[in-house]
Amino acid sequence: MKLGAFSISLSVKDIHKSKKFYEQLGFTVFAGQIENNYLILKNGNSLIGVFQGMFENNILTFNPGWDESANTLDKFDDVRTIQKHLKKEGVQLESEVDETTTGKGSFVVLDPDGNAVLIDQHV
């Protein structure tokens, strides 16, 4: 299975402090809007999303169809294909993508420790 670009989505208390901290670690703003309380920060191939007031816990995020620079990949496993595979493997889904649709879509699973894993396709 090809899950696409990986990032961690962090729930932060103060996006300005988080931005400054991660910039000190060498990250730069790649995407997002601080006035809308979210930024995507990049350092090489590493991506961190900082989100203030959008969700309670941190989330592991995969983006099928994208590389780490948000370039569309020629070949990738569609989010619906990934979801069908996980369902076949007996993985319980917290939310599902409508398998009758195409294009953008997402679903969430929890790992054994309750960490959310978001499979979020933007293409």
Side-chain angles (χ1 to χ4, degrees):
M1 241 180 334
K2 297 177 184 170
L3 297 177
F6 171 75
S7 63
I8 182 108
S9 300
L10 301 175
S11 177
V12 301
K13 295 176 183 173
D14 185 324
I15 196 164
H16 296 279
K17 286 182 181 178
S18 294
K19 177 182 180 283
K20 181 179 178 182
F21 173 79
Y22 285 104
E23 286 175 337
Q24 290 171 324
L25 289 178
F27 284 82
T28 58
V29 173
F30 174 68
Q33 301 171 330
I34 200 163
E35 61 273 8
N36 289 331
N37 292 326
Y38 79 98
L39 293 172
I40 309 301
L41 303 160
K42 187 173 181 185
N43 180 332
N45 293 336
S46 300
L47 296 166
I48 296 175
V50 290
F51 299 84
Q52 182 178 324
M54 293 187 175
F55 46 86
E56 191 172 324
N57 297 314
N58 300 329
I59 303 170
L60 302 170
T61 303
F62 295 92
N63 300 115
W66 274 2
D67 68 11
E68 66 277 355
S69 295
N71 295 312
T72 302
L73 300 171
D74 291 331
K75 293 183 179 183
F76 64 94
D77 292 341
D78 184 83
V79 65
R80 291 150 204 79
T81 302
I82 296 167
Q83 177 176 283
K84 285 177 188 176
H85 173 78
L86 294 177
K87 287 167 84 171
K88 182 180 171 188
E89 291 293 317
V91 176
Q92 177 150 352
L93 305 176
E94 291 297 303
S95 67
E96 295 188 31
V97 61
D98 182 348
E99 293 180 4
T100 65
T101 63
T102 60
K104 298 177 181 182
S106 65
F107 69 89
V108 175
V109 297
L110 298 179
D111 77 5
D113 296 300
N115 297 303
V117 178
L118 170 65
I119 311 297
D120 189 18
Q121 183 173 306
H122 296 279
V123 294

